[in-house]
Amino acid sequence: MKNTLSTATLLALALSAPLAAHEDHGCLDDGCQVQLLFADAGDTGGGTATTIAAKRFGTWGIDTAGMDRSAKPGTDFFRYVSGTWADTTQIPADRSSYGNFALLRDLSEARLRALVESYPLGDPATGGDAAKIAALYQAFMDEETIEAKGAQPLQPLLADIRAATDKDKLAALMGARGGFSGSFLGLSVTDDQRDPDRYALYLSQSGLGLGDREMYLRDNFAPQRERYQAYIAQMLALAGWDRPEANAKAVLAMETRIAEAHWTRAESRNRDKTYNPLALGDFATKSPGFPWATFFRSAGVDGTERAVVRQDSAIPRIAAIFADTDVATLQAWQAFQTVDNAAPLLSRDFAQAEFEFRSKFLSGQPEQRERWKRGTSFADGAMGEAIGRDYVKLYFPPDAKAKMDALVTNVKAAMGARLDALEWMGPATKAEARAKLQGFGLKIGHPDTWRDYSGLQVVNGDLFGNALRSNRFEWEYRRNRIGKPVDKGEWGMTPQTVNAYYSSVKNEIVFPAAILQPPFFDPDADPAVNYGAIGGVIGHEIIHGFDDQGRKSDGEGVLRDWWTAEDAAKFEAQAAKLGAQYEAYTFPQLPGMHINGRVAMGENIGDLGGLTIALEAYRRSLGGQPAPVIDGFTGEQRLFMGWGQVWRTLWRDDALRQQLVNGTHSPGHIRAFAPLRNIDAWYEAFGIQQGDALWIAPEDRVRIW
């Protein structure tokens, strides 16, 4: 399924190399969805890069000049904290949204550029990681060679599709991992949810080029479907495929049938329903009409005993659609998928067509990102940990880790105190919750061991071939781990990623180096601001272990029900109240669009619970002493302002629509104030009264963690 908010080059990599299942990662921001998983050892030895400093926010951590003090906190808290910033900030032409996540991603991107451009071009076969990274980047930057090749790199792939004249051969193409072909079915290798010490093969629904099923089925997305059909025809014509208009119509009709078979996003995140192990030999009986043996053999997983099926009732329907569809339509669909996925790596006509539809039309981004930005993303997607190794040397001093360790310890202790004080949870469930919290793992900054890229073949001047080999390298790495012990030291993000996550199967929280800088974390800032910003982020990730889905795994990462029925019912009632709050928010520029409370539930619980325990941790850090007043702001005011400042976000209308349809997080400008409405201390800190627009009566406030 396409993530239309992803950068183009990473999109090509992310779609063609199946990733570890991110359903088990409670990410802070949707940006984590395109990150590849990396692991183990190596040594770079690159050139010398100029360091680029992070920008500090004000003198004590808050950009007070960006506030609008004429706004009442109880009427519009986002505007109070960030109104002047919003008035004076323009979304860059090469972005569809902008805020503090994007600001830090720009910084990380500039730092990566300095690194990759410092690596000397040599022989990738003998020059180590530095020469490989240089070859990846410089091949992407060589527009003259790319233009001269035109569609030539695609021809062998299109020839394979033309030669696939029966369903068996088409299933083989769908099973082949590491290319640019599409599949009705996703394969991934990740920790087994019921046996977290072993890797398992997972199979899920796929096959939609337009994103979520709602894009195909809701009347208000008719313009997107019409433009998508034209885009399919355009890409088929560029590839020299016969009858592009007629084939585009047939492809969209087929994808619409697949969309009807798909589970909703809310259903697909329900961990009670998405763990369905099935022996590989039983797929033909359970889901007839699809050449399963060929599919699994082509993927190289035919020696595996079983696959865990995520959307079990959707798979038979998808298999039936494959069986009912004529070969010519399946070939055209595969040709389109291949061209669409490969387009960012091809000549300007392909790359521009892909940008015009996926970024400009769907997300409102006026201009293509500069080539160096896309080239940096390409190199980072292929060899992220090799670059990250040098990034850490430049930008992650040891004392930053020590200060984060202390913050995490305090927030974790606050969570323990909150657990002990819960009135709605019974002793049996509480004991299990304490054990889970006690077992939380923590990773800060970067891996202890680094990924070995010695097996990756890179060739100077061969952009398309390098992409194919990188994708295959990733899939082989994953495929060969099925049934083997889990690498507990592996990270799901590179150090230069501006994000954070919780892994339910490892029961750990992870904070890459790149997020540990202003406005999230400034070791020289006021502690209250840090508790509201990075403290809230730490709390958010801890709470993911206890949100509506994370709570379904125990302290060992095993998917099992450790709740009493009475406590589970109380939790679900409060969660439903929270979901209703978020679904009530309206977006005047997008009539009829709303946050899907069930889809964003885990993230919304994470925000509310995370900020609640960050506040508790800050209060405990004062040791009974009063907080200082700074520039007229109390400690708790500064804490809530720190949270609000982190979530500064501006949206283009089309990008906001895509976020509401395809994203798992509430929009940032909503996150800046929505959880605060359920925290009593926020009302007290800013004197918010009944009658203020953001007021919620005390008895109606959601109180979970």
Side-chain angles (χ1 to χ4, degrees), residues 214 218-221 583-596 657 660-661:
E214 299 299 313
R218 285 174 55 174
D219 291 342
N220 57 321
F221 294 124
E583 289 183 345
Y585 295 123
T586 59
F587 304 90
Q589 69 274 48
L590 300 173
M593 297 296 298
H594 297 275
I595 295 167
N596 187 323
R657 181 187 294 108
L660 293 171
V661 174

PDB file of all heavy atoms in Angstrom, residues 214 218-221 583-596 657 660-661:
ATOM      1  N   GLU A 214     -10.437   3.564   1.953  1.00  0.00           N
ATOM      2  CA  GLU A 214     -11.418   4.644   1.917  1.00  0.00           C
ATOM      3  C   GLU A 214     -11.267   5.501   0.668  1.00  0.00           C
ATOM      4  O   GLU A 214     -12.244   6.077   0.176  1.00  0.00           O
ATOM      5  CB  GLU A 214     -11.281   5.523   3.165  1.00  0.00           C
ATOM      6  CG  GLU A 214     -11.526   4.796   4.477  1.00  0.00           C
ATOM      7  CD  GLU A 214     -12.933   4.229   4.572  1.00  0.00           C
ATOM      8  OE1 GLU A 214     -13.878   4.970   4.258  1.00  0.00           O
ATOM      9  OE2 GLU A 214     -13.083   3.049   4.947  1.00  0.00           O
ATOM     10  N   ARG A 218     -15.176   5.916  -0.737  1.00  0.00           N
ATOM     11  CA  ARG A 218     -15.959   7.070  -0.294  1.00  0.00           C
ATOM     12  C   ARG A 218     -16.200   8.032  -1.452  1.00  0.00           C
ATOM     13  O   ARG A 218     -15.310   8.309  -2.255  1.00  0.00           O
ATOM     14  CB  ARG A 218     -15.250   7.789   0.863  1.00  0.00           C
ATOM     15  CG  ARG A 218     -15.367   7.042   2.178  1.00  0.00           C
ATOM     16  CD  ARG A 218     -14.558   7.661   3.290  1.00  0.00           C
ATOM     17  NE  ARG A 218     -14.867   9.085   3.504  1.00  0.00           N
ATOM     18  CZ  ARG A 218     -14.356   9.799   4.505  1.00  0.00           C
ATOM     19  NH1 ARG A 218     -13.523   9.218   5.373  1.00  0.00           N
ATOM     20  NH2 ARG A 218     -14.643  11.078   4.632  1.00  0.00           N
ATOM     21  N   ASP A 219     -17.413   8.566  -1.505  1.00  0.00           N
ATOM     22  CA  ASP A 219     -17.799   9.446  -2.606  1.00  0.00           C
ATOM     23  C   ASP A 219     -16.934  10.696  -2.683  1.00  0.00           C
ATOM     24  O   ASP A 219     -16.654  11.199  -3.778  1.00  0.00           O
ATOM     25  CB  ASP A 219     -19.269   9.857  -2.459  1.00  0.00           C
ATOM     26  CG  ASP A 219     -20.230   8.700  -2.689  1.00  0.00           C
ATOM     27  OD1 ASP A 219     -19.787   7.690  -3.289  1.00  0.00           O
ATOM     28  OD2 ASP A 219     -21.395   8.800  -2.272  1.00  0.00           O
ATOM     29  N   ASN A 220     -16.500  11.217  -1.524  1.00  0.00           N
ATOM     30  CA  ASN A 220     -15.769  12.485  -1.548  1.00  0.00           C
ATOM     31  C   ASN A 220     -14.347  12.345  -2.094  1.00  0.00           C
ATOM     32  O   ASN A 220     -13.644  13.342  -2.270  1.00  0.00           O
ATOM     33  CB  ASN A 220     -15.733  13.123  -0.156  1.00  0.00           C
ATOM     34  CG  ASN A 220     -15.136  12.221   0.897  1.00  0.00           C
ATOM     35  OD1 ASN A 220     -15.368  11.019   0.895  1.00  0.00           O
ATOM     36  ND2 ASN A 220     -14.387  12.788   1.818  1.00  0.00           N
ATOM     37  N   PHE A 221     -13.916  11.117  -2.385  1.00  0.00           N
ATOM     38  CA  PHE A 221     -12.597  10.926  -2.995  1.00  0.00           C
ATOM     39  C   PHE A 221     -12.690  10.622  -4.489  1.00  0.00           C
ATOM     40  O   PHE A 221     -11.719  10.156  -5.090  1.00  0.00           O
ATOM     41  CB  PHE A 221     -11.827   9.817  -2.279  1.00  0.00           C
ATOM     42  CG  PHE A 221     -11.464  10.159  -0.860  1.00  0.00           C
ATOM     43  CD1 PHE A 221     -11.845   9.338   0.184  1.00  0.00           C
ATOM     44  CD2 PHE A 221     -10.758  11.315  -0.585  1.00  0.00           C
ATOM     45  CE1 PHE A 221     -11.523   9.656   1.489  1.00  0.00           C
ATOM     46  CE2 PHE A 221     -10.436  11.653   0.718  1.00  0.00           C
ATOM     47  CZ  PHE A 221     -10.814  10.820   1.764  1.00  0.00           C
ATOM     48  N   GLU A 583     -12.701  12.634  17.602  1.00  0.00           N
ATOM     49  CA  GLU A 583     -13.560  12.595  16.420  1.00  0.00           C
ATOM     50  C   GLU A 583     -14.447  13.834  16.315  1.00  0.00           C
ATOM     51  O   GLU A 583     -14.958  14.144  15.234  1.00  0.00           O
ATOM     52  CB  GLU A 583     -14.410  11.325  16.437  1.00  0.00           C
ATOM     53  CG  GLU A 583     -13.579  10.071  16.170  1.00  0.00           C
ATOM     54  CD  GLU A 583     -14.411   8.803  16.110  1.00  0.00           C
ATOM     55  OE1 GLU A 583     -15.587   8.847  16.560  1.00  0.00           O
ATOM     56  OE2 GLU A 583     -13.892   7.779  15.628  1.00  0.00           O
ATOM     57  N   ALA A 584     -14.606  14.568  17.406  1.00  0.00           N
ATOM     58  CA  ALA A 584     -15.445  15.770  17.387  1.00  0.00           C
ATOM     59  C   ALA A 584     -14.726  16.968  16.779  1.00  0.00           C
ATOM     60  O   ALA A 584     -15.373  17.964  16.435  1.00  0.00           O
ATOM     61  CB  ALA A 584     -15.902  16.106  18.812  1.00  0.00           C
ATOM     62  N   TYR A 585     -13.402  16.904  16.653  1.00  0.00           N
ATOM     63  CA  TYR A 585     -12.682  18.037  16.063  1.00  0.00           C
ATOM     64  C   TYR A 585     -13.014  18.133  14.579  1.00  0.00           C
ATOM     65  O   TYR A 585     -13.077  17.124  13.874  1.00  0.00           O
ATOM     66  CB  TYR A 585     -11.176  17.887  16.265  1.00  0.00           C
ATOM     67  CG  TYR A 585     -10.763  17.942  17.712  1.00  0.00           C
ATOM     68  CD1 TYR A 585     -10.045  16.904  18.297  1.00  0.00           C
ATOM     69  CD2 TYR A 585     -11.109  19.036  18.502  1.00  0.00           C
ATOM     70  CE1 TYR A 585      -9.679  16.947  19.635  1.00  0.00           C
ATOM     71  CE2 TYR A 585     -10.749  19.083  19.845  1.00  0.00           C
ATOM     72  CZ  TYR A 585     -10.037  18.033  20.402  1.00  0.00           C
ATOM     73  OH  TYR A 585      -9.689  18.089  21.734  1.00  0.00           O
ATOM     74  N   THR A 586     -13.231  19.352  14.132  1.00  0.00           N
ATOM     75  CA  THR A 586     -13.587  19.569  12.726  1.00  0.00           C
ATOM     76  C   THR A 586     -12.464  20.318  12.019  1.00  0.00           C
ATOM     77  O   THR A 586     -11.629  20.973  12.648  1.00  0.00           O
ATOM     78  CB  THR A 586     -14.890  20.375  12.602  1.00  0.00           C
ATOM     79  OG1 THR A 586     -14.719  21.649  13.251  1.00  0.00           O
ATOM     80  CG2 THR A 586     -16.050  19.626  13.228  1.00  0.00           C
ATOM     81  N   PHE A 587     -12.472  20.218  10.703  1.00  0.00           N
ATOM     82  CA  PHE A 587     -11.472  20.863   9.860  1.00  0.00           C
ATOM     83  C   PHE A 587     -12.244  21.635   8.787  1.00  0.00           C
ATOM     84  O   PHE A 587     -12.626  21.054   7.762  1.00  0.00           O
ATOM     85  CB  PHE A 587     -10.541  19.814   9.253  1.00  0.00           C
ATOM     86  CG  PHE A 587      -9.873  18.960  10.298  1.00  0.00           C
ATOM     87  CD1 PHE A 587     -10.461  17.770  10.735  1.00  0.00           C
ATOM     88  CD2 PHE A 587      -8.681  19.357  10.878  1.00  0.00           C
ATOM     89  CE1 PHE A 587      -9.869  17.002  11.715  1.00  0.00           C
ATOM     90  CE2 PHE A 587      -8.080  18.587  11.869  1.00  0.00           C
ATOM     91  CZ  PHE A 587      -8.671  17.408  12.288  1.00  0.00           C
ATOM     92  N   PRO A 588     -12.525  22.917   9.037  1.00  0.00           N
ATOM     93  CA  PRO A 588     -13.409  23.685   8.144  1.00  0.00           C
ATOM     94  C   PRO A 588     -12.978  23.665   6.689  1.00  0.00           C
ATOM     95  O   PRO A 588     -13.829  23.709   5.789  1.00  0.00           O
ATOM     96  CB  PRO A 588     -13.334  25.102   8.735  1.00  0.00           C
ATOM     97  CG  PRO A 588     -12.963  24.903  10.169  1.00  0.00           C
ATOM     98  CD  PRO A 588     -12.066  23.706  10.191  1.00  0.00           C
ATOM     99  N   GLN A 589     -11.660  23.587   6.452  1.00  0.00           N
ATOM    100  CA  GLN A 589     -11.184  23.569   5.065  1.00  0.00           C
ATOM    101  C   GLN A 589     -11.424  22.223   4.393  1.00  0.00           C
ATOM    102  O   GLN A 589     -11.274  22.104   3.170  1.00  0.00           O
ATOM    103  CB  GLN A 589      -9.688  23.934   5.013  1.00  0.00           C
ATOM    104  CG  GLN A 589      -8.733  22.890   5.604  1.00  0.00           C
ATOM    105  CD  GLN A 589      -8.535  23.025   7.107  1.00  0.00           C
ATOM    106  OE1 GLN A 589      -9.500  23.157   7.857  1.00  0.00           O
ATOM    107  NE2 GLN A 589      -7.286  22.990   7.539  1.00  0.00           N
ATOM    108  N   LEU A 590     -11.801  21.208   5.189  1.00  0.00           N
ATOM    109  CA  LEU A 590     -12.040  19.860   4.663  1.00  0.00           C
ATOM    110  C   LEU A 590     -13.384  19.356   5.187  1.00  0.00           C
ATOM    111  O   LEU A 590     -13.428  18.514   6.097  1.00  0.00           O
ATOM    112  CB  LEU A 590     -10.912  18.908   5.077  1.00  0.00           C
ATOM    113  CG  LEU A 590      -9.495  19.261   4.612  1.00  0.00           C
ATOM    114  CD1 LEU A 590      -8.478  18.313   5.239  1.00  0.00           C
ATOM    115  CD2 LEU A 590      -9.395  19.201   3.096  1.00  0.00           C
ATOM    116  N   PRO A 591     -14.483  19.832   4.651  1.00  0.00           N
ATOM    117  CA  PRO A 591     -15.806  19.421   5.157  1.00  0.00           C
ATOM    118  C   PRO A 591     -15.966  17.901   5.130  1.00  0.00           C
ATOM    119  O   PRO A 591     -15.604  17.242   4.155  1.00  0.00           O
ATOM    120  CB  PRO A 591     -16.772  20.099   4.185  1.00  0.00           C
ATOM    121  CG  PRO A 591     -16.006  21.236   3.600  1.00  0.00           C
ATOM    122  CD  PRO A 591     -14.585  20.777   3.529  1.00  0.00           C
ATOM    123  N   GLY A 592     -16.489  17.383   6.215  1.00  0.00           N
ATOM    124  CA  GLY A 592     -16.750  15.953   6.296  1.00  0.00           C
ATOM    125  C   GLY A 592     -15.571  15.114   6.737  1.00  0.00           C
ATOM    126  O   GLY A 592     -15.722  13.909   6.985  1.00  0.00           O
ATOM    127  N   MET A 593     -14.382  15.719   6.868  1.00  0.00           N
ATOM    128  CA  MET A 593     -13.199  14.966   7.292  1.00  0.00           C
ATOM    129  C   MET A 593     -13.054  15.049   8.809  1.00  0.00           C
ATOM    130  O   MET A 593     -13.245  16.113   9.406  1.00  0.00           O
ATOM    131  CB  MET A 593     -11.945  15.509   6.611  1.00  0.00           C
ATOM    132  CG  MET A 593     -11.933  15.372   5.099  1.00  0.00           C
ATOM    133  SD  MET A 593     -11.925  13.647   4.532  1.00  0.00           S
ATOM    134  CE  MET A 593     -10.383  13.043   5.217  1.00  0.00           C
ATOM    135  N   HIS A 594     -12.695  13.915   9.402  1.00  0.00           N
ATOM    136  CA  HIS A 594     -12.522  13.843  10.850  1.00  0.00           C
ATOM    137  C   HIS A 594     -11.356  12.914  11.177  1.00  0.00           C
ATOM    138  O   HIS A 594     -10.939  12.095  10.353  1.00  0.00           O
ATOM    139  CB  HIS A 594     -13.786  13.308  11.530  1.00  0.00           C
ATOM    140  CG  HIS A 594     -14.987  14.176  11.364  1.00  0.00           C
ATOM    141  ND1 HIS A 594     -15.268  15.243  12.189  1.00  0.00           N
ATOM    142  CD2 HIS A 594     -15.980  14.143  10.425  1.00  0.00           C
ATOM    143  CE1 HIS A 594     -16.381  15.822  11.776  1.00  0.00           C
ATOM    144  NE2 HIS A 594     -16.834  15.179  10.717  1.00  0.00           N
ATOM    145  N   ILE A 595     -10.854  13.039  12.384  1.00  0.00           N
ATOM    146  CA  ILE A 595      -9.896  12.067  12.905  1.00  0.00           C
ATOM    147  C   ILE A 595     -10.637  10.758  13.136  1.00  0.00           C
ATOM    148  O   ILE A 595     -11.757  10.752  13.652  1.00  0.00           O
ATOM    149  CB  ILE A 595      -9.279  12.575  14.221  1.00  0.00           C
ATOM    150  CG1 ILE A 595      -8.447  13.837  13.971  1.00  0.00           C
ATOM    151  CG2 ILE A 595      -8.435  11.491  14.897  1.00  0.00           C
ATOM    152  CD1 ILE A 595      -8.057  14.576  15.238  1.00  0.00           C
ATOM    153  N   ASN A 596     -10.036   9.651  12.737  1.00  0.00           N
ATOM    154  CA  ASN A 596     -10.603   8.338  13.030  1.00  0.00           C
ATOM    155  C   ASN A 596     -10.136   7.935  14.428  1.00  0.00           C
ATOM    156  O   ASN A 596      -8.982   7.571  14.631  1.00  0.00           O
ATOM    157  CB  ASN A 596     -10.141   7.315  11.982  1.00  0.00           C
ATOM    158  CG  ASN A 596     -10.827   5.971  12.132  1.00  0.00           C
ATOM    159  OD1 ASN A 596     -11.079   5.515  13.249  1.00  0.00           O
ATOM    160  ND2 ASN A 596     -11.122   5.321  11.019  1.00  0.00           N
ATOM    161  N   ARG A 657      -5.631  16.215   4.434  1.00  0.00           N
ATOM    162  CA  ARG A 657      -6.570  15.174   4.020  1.00  0.00           C
ATOM    163  C   ARG A 657      -5.879  13.810   4.000  1.00  0.00           C
ATOM    164  O   ARG A 657      -6.422  12.817   4.496  1.00  0.00           O
ATOM    165  CB  ARG A 657      -7.142  15.496   2.640  1.00  0.00           C
ATOM    166  CG  ARG A 657      -8.150  14.445   2.147  1.00  0.00           C
ATOM    167  CD  ARG A 657      -8.587  14.686   0.718  1.00  0.00           C
ATOM    168  NE  ARG A 657      -9.354  15.927   0.575  1.00  0.00           N
ATOM    169  CZ  ARG A 657      -8.912  17.026   0.000  1.00  0.00           C
ATOM    170  NH1 ARG A 657      -7.676  17.059  -0.514  1.00  0.00           N
ATOM    171  NH2 ARG A 657      -9.665  18.092  -0.095  1.00  0.00           N
ATOM    172  N   LEU A 660      -5.350  12.524   7.532  1.00  0.00           N
ATOM    173  CA  LEU A 660      -6.575  12.027   8.154  1.00  0.00           C
ATOM    174  C   LEU A 660      -6.998  10.679   7.584  1.00  0.00           C
ATOM    175  O   LEU A 660      -7.582   9.855   8.294  1.00  0.00           O
ATOM    176  CB  LEU A 660      -7.699  13.056   7.975  1.00  0.00           C
ATOM    177  CG  LEU A 660      -7.507  14.375   8.730  1.00  0.00           C
ATOM    178  CD1 LEU A 660      -8.554  15.394   8.304  1.00  0.00           C
ATOM    179  CD2 LEU A 660      -7.555  14.155  10.238  1.00  0.00           C
ATOM    180  N   VAL A 661      -6.681  10.432   6.307  1.00  0.00           N
ATOM    181  CA  VAL A 661      -7.081   9.176   5.675  1.00  0.00           C
ATOM    182  C   VAL A 661      -6.062   8.081   5.915  1.00  0.00           C
ATOM    183  O   VAL A 661      -6.406   6.940   6.248  1.00  0.00           O
ATOM    184  CB  VAL A 661      -7.290   9.370   4.156  1.00  0.00           C
ATOM    185  CG1 VAL A 661      -7.561   8.033   3.470  1.00  0.00           C
ATOM    186  CG2 VAL A 661      -8.431  10.325   3.897  1.00  0.00           C
TER     187      VAL A 661
END
